[in-house]
Amino acid sequence: MSALKNAQMTGGLPRMDLLGRLRETQIVDTKPVLPAEILSLILEHLSVLDLVHFARLSKRMREMVYDDTRWVRRLRFMGCWNDAAARTAAEEARRRKLGTLNNTQEHQSKKTAVANGITGAKSDAQAPGGSRIPSVPHVSVTAAHKGTSKSRADVFKQQDGENDGFDFVALSPTTPDPLPDHQPVDTLSALEVISTARSVRGTARQEYGRIHGALNLYYKDALRSKHPSNARIFRVYRDPVQQAAMLAQLVKFANSDLSLGWQAREDKLLLMMSAFEDAVSREFEQGLKLGDVDGRMKKYAHVLVTLNGGQRAVDLWITDNPVIKDRAGLGDPMDCISPNNQDHLFLEEAHSFLSHLSSAFNAQVTVIDRVFPASVNVVVPYLQKLGNEVLASYIDTLFVYLQEKSTESYVRAISGVYDQSLRFAKTLRPPQASGDEFYEAVDKLVADIFAPYAATYFSEELALFKRRSEIEVSGWERQLSQQDASLESMYMTNINRQADKRDFLSSFKKVVMMPVNVLPSFDISSRFGGKSPAIRASDKEDTLNTYQAPPSRGSSRPDTPNPQNGPAMLVSRSRTPIPEPPTTELAAKAAILKSKLEGIRTLFSLEVALNLVHMAKSSIDRAAVFARVKGIFDTDARNECEVIFIMLLRTLGDRHVKAGFDQAVAQLANYSPRSASDQSQPGVAPLVMFLELVNVGDLIQQMLDVFYEQELVATRLTDRHDFLNPTVKEKKRFEQMLDERVAAGLNKGIEVLMAEVEFVCATTQNVEDFNPGATGMAINKIVDITPSNTAVWVVEVVSAHTKMLVGSTDKNMLDVFNQEIGLRLFATLCKHLKRQRISVSGSIKLISDMNHYFMFVQSLKNKDLLEYFKALRELAQIYLIDPSDAKELAAIIADADRFHGIFRAEEVYEYAERRADWYQVKSRVEKAMYGIGCCMM
C-alpha cells in the first residue's frame, strides 16, 4: 500500500501554487522488503523469547507468530501432540457449535411465532403465560472500542480473549533468582506437565506456553550448570524417581528448542542424563549382585524406567541372568543319541532339557514381575536371548551331528524336537499384564530357530519316503523273482538232457496229442470212449459235493472286504499235497505254468501296501507337526503332506498294483482250458485267482480312502472339495487306473470263462442227452426231464464267478460284467446248439436246459439280458413239434414276433436243421414256408 508525504520546503515563502505542490511530492513504498514465506522460515529458528518480541511489532507479525500450526509443530517435537485426539476434539466442538446454533434458531422461531400470534403486540409485550420473552442484547463492535485508550499489547490481549502463555515471561535476560528455602507448590505438577498436555486445535500456543513456563527455568539452569550435580532439579527434587521424571521431560522439551546452537545444548543435557543414568545403573547392579530383588533392584529399575524406558536395567538383568550363564547344566544334546546305534534316538532327553528350561524361565518371570513395572517389555528380549543362546545352541548341535550320521534319525529328530518345542512354548508362564503377544513371540522364536532346517527337513523327508518305498517294492519284486527262479530250478532238476534228446519224438507226439491226452480217460466200452452216464453223474455229484459256493453279499461295497471269503475257498490249499518234481521237460514246463497261474494272487501284496501306507503315515505325521502354527510353516507342511500322499499313490499304483494287474492279465491270456490238468472243480482257476486279486485291489483302494480321510482331510491338511487340488486329481487317477486294469482283466477273464464253458459243453455233453438212442443203447430208457449235467455244470461255473465280484466292485461295473457274461453265454449256447442233433424225445432235456439257463440269468436281475434267454427258450420249442406237424413247425419258424426280434427266420431255420428228423420234414417245411412244389394253375 502506498502513501503520499510532503517534501521538505527550503528557502523563501511558500507559494499557493497547487501544481507546484504536486510536482514537489514523492511516492514512498511501505510494503515489507521480505515475503511472508521467508519471514515464516525465519520464525522457525527463533527462540520463544524472540518470538514474543516479534509478535509485538505489528498485527501481521502477531498473526504469523500466533499461527496454531507453528506451536503444534513444537508440541509434536516433544511428543505430546496427538492428531487423533485433536481431530476428535475438533469434531466434538463442531457438534456443540451446531447444537447451540440449532437451539438459537429454534428459540428465534418460537419468538417469531408468539409475536405473530398476538395482535397489537409491542416490543415489551409479554408472551402467553405472563413471562417476558427474552431478548438477545446487541453489542456494537465500535462501541466496545470507545473509551479509555489502551496499549497495543492490551488490545491484542483483548482481541485474543485468552492468556497467550507468555505474559509472565521476562523480556530481557536477568540473573536467576536465588533458590527459595521452601519448594514451590507447582513443582509436583511440573513433573507431569508434558504428559497432561491437551491436543486441541486453536490452543496449541497456550499448551506450549504452559509447558514452557514450567520447564524453561530448569532447562536454562541445567545448561548453565558446570557440574550435573549442581543443577536446579537435583536441589529441588530429592527423590530419584522425581529427578528421573524431570530429566526425561527436559530431554523432550529440548527437542522443541530450534534456535541457533540447539545441538550443543541438547548434547550437554544428554551428558547430564547419561551421568545420572550411570549412577542409577551402578546402584541397580549392586542390588543385582546382592540379590536384593524387592529393594534396590525394584527401586532403581523404576528410576531407569522413568528416565528413558529402563532399557539399561533390562540389559543388565539379562546379561547377568543365571539361566544363561549356567545353560550347560540344563542338558547335553549328545545324550539324545545312542552310543551303540546312531539310528536310535532318545527324545526323552530333549524333553527333559526343555522341561528344565521351562521351569527356570518361569522362575525368572516371577523375578521380572517383582522388579520391573508392567509397562516394560522385559520378557520378550529375555526370551530371545534365552532362545538364541540356550535353545538354539542345543538344537544346532544335535541336528548338525545327526545330519552327517543318519538321515532317518535327522528327520525324526527335527519333527520330534519341534513338536516338543511347541509343547514347551505352551508351558511358559507369561508375565503380568501380557496378552497374546507373548505367545506370538514364543511361536516366532521357535519358528526362527527351526527356519534354517525346515527346507532341508521337507526335502529329506520326501527323499526318505521315496527311498524306503522303493526298497519295499523292489524287495517284493526281487522275492517273487527268486521264488520263480527257485521253483523253476526245482522243476527242472530231474530232467536228463541226454534222455530228453532220445525222447524227443515221444515228447513231440505228446505235445501234438496234448488236447486229447488232457481229456479224462474214456471207457473203451463206450462208442466215443466216454464214461457211462451213471458213472459220469456220480463223478459230477462228488465234485459238486466238494464245492462250496461263496456266501451271497449285497450290492453295496463292504467296509472291509476279505479276500478269503471269496472263491479262494474253492480249493483248500492246506490239504493240497506238495507236488513231486516232474521227470520230463514238458511236465516241468506245465508245472511252471501252473505255478504261475496259482501265484497270480501274489502279484501284488496287501502286506506291501500296508507297509507303504505305514511309511506314508509316519512321514505325514512328522510333517504335519509343522502345520500346527499358522503363517510360519503351515503352507510348506501341507504341501509336503500332499506330495507324500501323491508319491504313495504313484508308488503303490504304478509300481505295484498296476504291474501286478498287467502281469495277471497277461498270464490269464495264456490260459487254455484244454491244458488244465484238473477238471474236477467247477471253476476257472486263473479267473478265480484274478477275482481274488480284484478283491485285494479293492481292499487296497478302500484302505487308501480311509487313510486319505483320516490323515489328510480330518486334519485339514488338504481340501477334498477342491477339484484342482493335486491330491484329489492323483487319487482319481489311481482309481481310474484300478478300474481300467480290473475292466481289462475282467474282459480277458470273460473270454477265459467262455472258453471254459465251451470246453465243458464240448467234453461233457453226452450225445444221447438231446438224441436218446443215438448210440443204439438204452432205447426204451425213461425220459429224464431234469437239466443235463452239462447245463448244471455250466451254470455252476458261471454263477461261481459272477458271485465273486459282488461286494468287491461297484454296482455299475458288476452290471456290465454280468451283462457281458450273459451275452457271451448266449452266443456260446447258440454255437453249442448248432453242433447237436436233437430229437423230439431229446427236446425235453433241451427245454429243461434252456429253462435252467433262464433261471440263472433271471437271478442276475438284468431285464435286457433276460430277453435273449426268453428267445432261446422259445427256440427250443421247435424241436418238440412232431414231424407230422410240419406246417406248425414252419409257422413257428416264420413267426419273428415269437422270438422278440432276437432271431430272424433264416436263423431259426438254421437251428431247425439240427433236428434229428430234419431230412424227413425238410420238404414239407420248405413247402409250407416258401411254396416249393406248387404248380401254376
Side-chain angles (χ1 to χ4, degrees):
M1 183 174 181
S2 302
L4 298 178
K5 294 184 179 182
N6 294 330
Q8 297 291 335
M9 303 297 295
T10 58
L13 294 175
R15 294 181 302 177
M16 300 304 293
D17 188 2
L18 180 61
L19 295 178
R21 294 179 64 88
L22 290 176
R23 284 193 295 268
E24 293 174 357
T25 60
Q26 59 181 354
I27 298 177
V28 179
D29 191 2
T30 60
K31 289 184 178 180
V33 179
L34 295 178
E37 290 81 2
I38 297 179
L39 287 176
S40 178
L41 186 61
I42 292 174
L43 291 179
E44 296 294 339
H45 298 281
L46 294 181
S47 65
V48 176
L49 187 61
D50 294 335
L51 286 174
V52 173
H53 285 294
F54 194 85
R56 294 181 176 181
L57 293 179
S58 66
K59 182 178 180 180
R60 185 181 182 190
M61 296 301 107
R62 176 180 177 277
E63 291 177 355
M64 293 183 66
V65 171
Y66 282 16
D67 185 13
D68 195 63
T69 58
R70 190 177 313 282
W71 305 103
V72 168
R73 181 167 176 264
R74 290 178 179 266
L75 291 176
R76 232 187 234 114
F77 285 154
M78 289 190 295
C80 58
W81 179 266
N82 190 346
D83 288 326
R87 191 179 302 109
T88 303
E91 292 177 356
E92 185 65 26
R94 183 178 60 84
R95 283 194 295 268
R96 286 198 305 268
K97 183 178 180 180
L98 237 92
T100 304
L101 182 61
N102 292 335
N103 293 335
T104 304
Q105 292 178 353
E106 183 179 357
H107 178 72
Q108 188 67 26
S109 62
K110 289 181 180 180
K111 179 180 176 181
T112 305
V114 171
N116 293 335
I118 301 176
T119 59
K122 298 180 179 180
S123 59
D124 58 346
Q126 294 183 348
S131 61
R132 180 175 296 275
I133 301 175
S135 60
V136 179
H138 177 71
V139 181
S140 175
V141 179
T142 57
H145 288 282
K146 293 180 180 181
T148 59
S149 60
K150 298 181 181 180
S151 64
R152 180 179 299 179
D154 295 335
V155 174
F156 289 166
K157 188 180 303 182
Q158 180 181 357
Q159 290 179 358
D160 186 65
E162 293 182 0
N163 188 6
D164 58 5
F166 304 108
D167 296 332
F168 301 101
V169 178
L171 301 181
S172 59
T174 59
T175 57
D177 298 332
L179 184 67
D181 296 335
H182 64 279
Q183 185 175 350
V185 179
D186 61 346
T187 54
L188 295 179
S189 61
L191 296 175
E192 299 177 352
V193 65
I194 292 182
S195 61
T196 58
R198 298 181 305 156
S199 300
V200 180
R201 296 190 183 276
T203 63
R205 176 174 53 83
Q206 286 77 15
E207 287 297 323
Y208 184 82
R210 186 173 64 87
I211 296 173
H212 184 275
L215 300 180
N216 186 62
L217 184 62
Y218 297 99
Y219 179 68
K220 296 296 183 181
D221 180 76
L223 297 178
R224 287 193 296 264
S225 299
K226 296 182 179 180
H227 193 273
S229 60
N230 297 330
R232 184 185 183 89
I233 58 174
F234 297 113
R235 288 177 289 155
V236 173
Y237 301 100
R238 296 300 181 181
D239 187 6
V241 177
Q242 294 179 350
Q243 294 172 357
M246 182 55 70
L247 275 176
Q249 287 195 120
L250 290 181
V251 171
K252 293 180 181 179
F253 181 72
N255 293 330
S256 66
D257 186 3
L258 307 177
S259 60
L260 187 63
W262 64 268
Q263 189 169 6
R265 293 189 293 272
E266 184 179 10
D267 292 342
K268 187 172 183 179
L269 189 62
L270 291 177
L271 184 62
M272 177 184 294
M273 182 178 180
S274 177
F276 179 78
E277 184 180 17
D278 292 339
V280 176
S281 299
R282 285 192 295 269
E283 294 295 332
F284 178 82
E285 195 170 2
Q286 288 295 326
L288 184 62
K289 291 180 180 180
L290 296 175
D292 189 5
V293 176
D294 297 322
R296 287 189 178 183
M297 289 179 62
K298 182 177 181 179
K299 176 181 179 181
Y300 292 105
H302 282 68
V303 172
L304 291 174
V305 169
T306 306
L307 182 64
N308 56 6
Q311 187 61 39
R312 183 78 170 271
V314 173
D315 295 340
L316 288 173
W317 185 83
I318 293 177
T319 304
D320 200 45
N321 190 263
V323 180
I324 299 177
K325 284 185 175 181
D326 303 334
R327 56 178 176 269
L330 297 174
D332 187 5
M334 292 296 103
D335 293 340
C336 300
I337 304 170
S338 174
N340 300 325
N341 186 5
Q342 301 290 341
D343 294 334
H344 187 65
L345 291 177
F346 299 106
L347 293 180
E348 296 83 3
E349 298 295 333
H351 180 267
S352 177
F353 165 78
L354 293 174
S355 299
H356 295 160
L357 184 61
S358 174
S359 301
F361 176 82
N362 292 336
Q364 295 301 313
V365 169
T366 305
V367 176
I368 292 174
D369 291 336
R370 293 166 58 187
V371 173
F372 297 94
S375 60
V376 183
N377 186 10
V378 183
V379 69
V380 173
Y382 174 62
L383 186 64
Q384 293 175 350
K385 185 80 171 179
L386 196 69
N388 294 331
E389 296 191 7
V390 180
L391 183 59
S393 177
Y394 182 91
I395 290 175
D396 292 343
T397 305
L398 178 62
F399 290 170
V400 170
Y401 179 82
L402 289 177
Q403 189 174 11
E404 297 175 355
K405 299 298 181 180
S406 173
T407 303
E408 184 174 358
S409 299
Y410 175 71
V411 297
R412 286 180 53 211
I414 289 182
S415 178
V417 176
Y418 182 75
D419 183 31
Q420 293 180 358
S421 299
L422 294 180
R423 300 177 187 273
F424 157 79
K426 294 180 180 179
T427 61
L428 300 181
R429 188 179 71 84
Q432 297 176 357
S434 66
D436 296 336
E437 62 274 3
F438 170 74
Y439 292 105
E440 293 177 358
V442 174
D443 293 338
K444 185 178 183 302
L445 173 66
V446 175
D448 292 340
I449 294 175
F450 282 86
Y453 303 99
T456 306
Y457 162 76
F458 289 139
S459 60
E460 291 291 343
E461 184 70 70
L462 193 61
L464 177 64
F465 174 74
K466 184 177 181 180
R467 184 168 60 253
R468 293 181 62 187
S469 59
E470 184 71 23
I471 292 174
E472 182 72 21
V473 176
S474 301
W476 167 258
E477 294 175 350
R478 185 170 58 255
Q479 182 181 0
L480 285 183
S481 61
Q482 290 176 356
Q483 288 180 358
D484 294 341
S486 61
L487 185 63
E488 184 174 357
S489 176
M490 186 269 292
Y491 283 146
M492 301 298 289
T493 51
N494 293 338
I495 296 175
N496 189 343
R497 296 297 178 182
Q498 297 295 331
D500 183 67
K501 290 181 181 179
R502 292 191 299 267
D503 201 29
F504 175 79
L505 183 59
S506 60
S507 298
F508 177 77
K509 291 180 180 179
K510 290 179 181 180
V511 173
V512 173
M513 298 299 294
M514 186 174 61
V516 179
N517 292 339
V518 296
L519 297 178
S521 58
F522 295 159
D523 189 12
I524 302 300
S525 61
S526 175
R527 179 178 178 182
F528 294 98
K531 291 184 179 181
S532 62
I535 298 176
R536 183 177 298 276
S538 63
D539 292 342
K540 295 296 181 182
E541 186 178 358
D542 294 338
T543 303
L544 293 176
N545 290 334
T546 59
Y547 169 73
Q548 297 180 0
S552 107
R553 291 177 286 184
S555 60
S556 62
R557 184 176 297 207
D559 294 337
T560 53
N562 188 0
Q564 295 180 357
N565 294 336
M569 303 287 294
L570 289 174
V571 181
S572 179
R573 291 185 174 271
S574 61
R575 298 182 181 179
T576 303
I578 300 176
E580 294 293 334
T583 56
T584 63
E585 183 176 359
L586 185 61
K589 292 181 178 180
I592 292 172
L593 178 60
K594 180 180 179 182
S595 67
K596 288 183 177 180
L597 293 177
E598 288 180 353
I600 197 171
R601 72 188 67 187
T602 59
L603 292 176
F604 57 81
S605 171
L606 187 63
E607 181 181 2
V608 172
L610 191 60
N611 291 338
L612 292 177
V613 170
H614 284 166
M615 294 177 192
K617 184 179 185 303
S618 300
S619 298
I620 289 178
D621 288 344
R622 288 194 294 264
V625 175
F626 289 87
R628 294 180 184 176
V629 182
K630 295 183 178 180
I632 301 177
F633 304 120
D634 56 337
T635 303
D636 295 336
R638 287 186 174 88
N639 293 336
E640 178 78 4
C641 295
E642 291 179 351
V643 171
I644 291 175
F645 182 72
I646 291 173
M647 188 172 294
L648 170 65
L649 293 177
R650 292 178 179 176
T651 303
L652 192 57
D654 298 339
R655 286 292 311 278
H656 196 56
V657 176
K658 181 180 178 181
F661 268 113
D662 291 343
Q663 189 175 357
V665 172
Q667 293 180 5
L668 194 61
N670 296 329
Y671 173 78
S672 175
R674 296 182 178 274
S675 62
S677 58
D678 186 10
Q679 297 291 339
S680 61
Q681 299 295 333
V684 181
L687 183 57
V688 171
M689 297 174 187
F690 178 79
L691 295 179
E692 290 182 1
L693 200 67
V694 173
N695 285 329
V696 177
D698 180 71
L699 181 59
I700 291 175
Q701 181 179 349
Q702 293 190 30
M703 185 169 58
L704 291 176
D705 289 339
V706 173
F707 177 78
Y708 177 74
E709 291 291 334
Q710 293 184 355
E711 296 296 325
L712 295 178
V713 176
T715 55
R716 298 181 179 180
L717 294 176
T718 188
D719 184 10
R720 62 180 171 185
H721 301 295
D722 184 8
F723 64 94
L724 296 178
N725 191 284
T727 56
V728 176
K729 296 168 65 176
E730 189 65 26
K731 187 171 178 291
K732 290 182 179 179
R733 193 183 75 86
F734 175 83
E735 295 172 354
Q736 183 179 1
M737 180 275 299
L738 191 61
D739 292 340
E740 291 175 355
R741 293 303 178 276
V742 170
L746 292 180
N747 183 43
K748 187 61 65 176
I750 291 174
E751 295 179 359
V752 173
L753 181 60
M754 291 301 106
E756 180 72 13
V757 170
E758 290 182 2
F759 179 76
V760 170
C761 292
T763 56
T764 62
Q765 191 74 64
N766 196 350
V767 177
E768 295 189 352
D769 288 343
F770 303 144
N771 191 8
T775 59
M777 298 176 61
I779 298 177
N780 297 324
K781 183 179 177 181
I782 299 176
V783 178
D784 187 10
I785 62 174
T786 60
S788 64
N789 293 331
T790 301
V792 174
W793 190 260
V794 168
V795 170
E796 195 68 31
V797 169
V798 177
S799 63
H801 293 84
T802 55
K803 291 178 181 178
M804 296 162 78
L805 281 181
V806 176
S808 63
T809 184
D810 57 357
K811 189 177 182 302
N812 294 330
M813 181 174 290
L814 184 63
D815 293 340
V816 172
F817 178 73
N818 291 337
Q819 184 173 3
E820 189 65 22
I821 284 183
L823 292 176
R824 295 197 186 188
L825 178 62
F826 173 79
T828 302
L829 293 178
C830 291
K831 188 189 300 183
H832 176 64
L833 192 59
K834 290 181 179 180
R835 295 174 181 171
Q836 307 299 317
R837 281 294 177 183
I838 305 148
S839 63
V840 176
S841 58
S843 62
I844 298 176
K845 177 70 72 173
L846 178 62
I847 293 174
S848 298
D849 288 355
M850 296 305 163
N851 287 331
H852 190 63
Y853 293 135
F854 178 81
M855 295 298 293
F856 162 69
V857 174
Q858 193 175 20
S859 66
L860 299 180
K861 298 179 181 180
N862 192 319
K863 295 182 180 180
D864 297 335
L865 188 61
L866 200 61
E867 297 296 326
Y868 288 89
F869 285 85
K870 285 182 180 179
L872 195 61
R873 189 173 59 177
E874 294 293 332
L875 182 64
Q877 303 294 329
I878 64 175
Y879 302 104
L880 188 60
I881 300 175
D882 191 80
S884 60
D885 295 333
K887 291 184 179 181
E888 182 67 22
L889 179 61
I892 293 175
I893 294 175
D895 188 4
D897 297 334
R898 187 182 185 91
F899 304 101
H900 309 285
I902 304 299
F903 296 110
R904 296 175 299 166
E906 293 80 1
E907 294 176 342
V908 179
Y909 182 82
E910 293 179 1
Y911 288 106
E913 290 179 345
R914 303 311 301 169
R915 288 175 59 100
D917 55 358
W918 175 248
Y919 291 104
Q920 299 176 10
V921 299
K922 177 180 179 181
S923 59
R924 286 177 289 174
V925 171
E926 290 179 348
K927 182 177 180 181
M929 291 180 64
Y930 308 115
I932 299 177
C934 296
C935 59
M936 179 90 49
M937 298 298 296

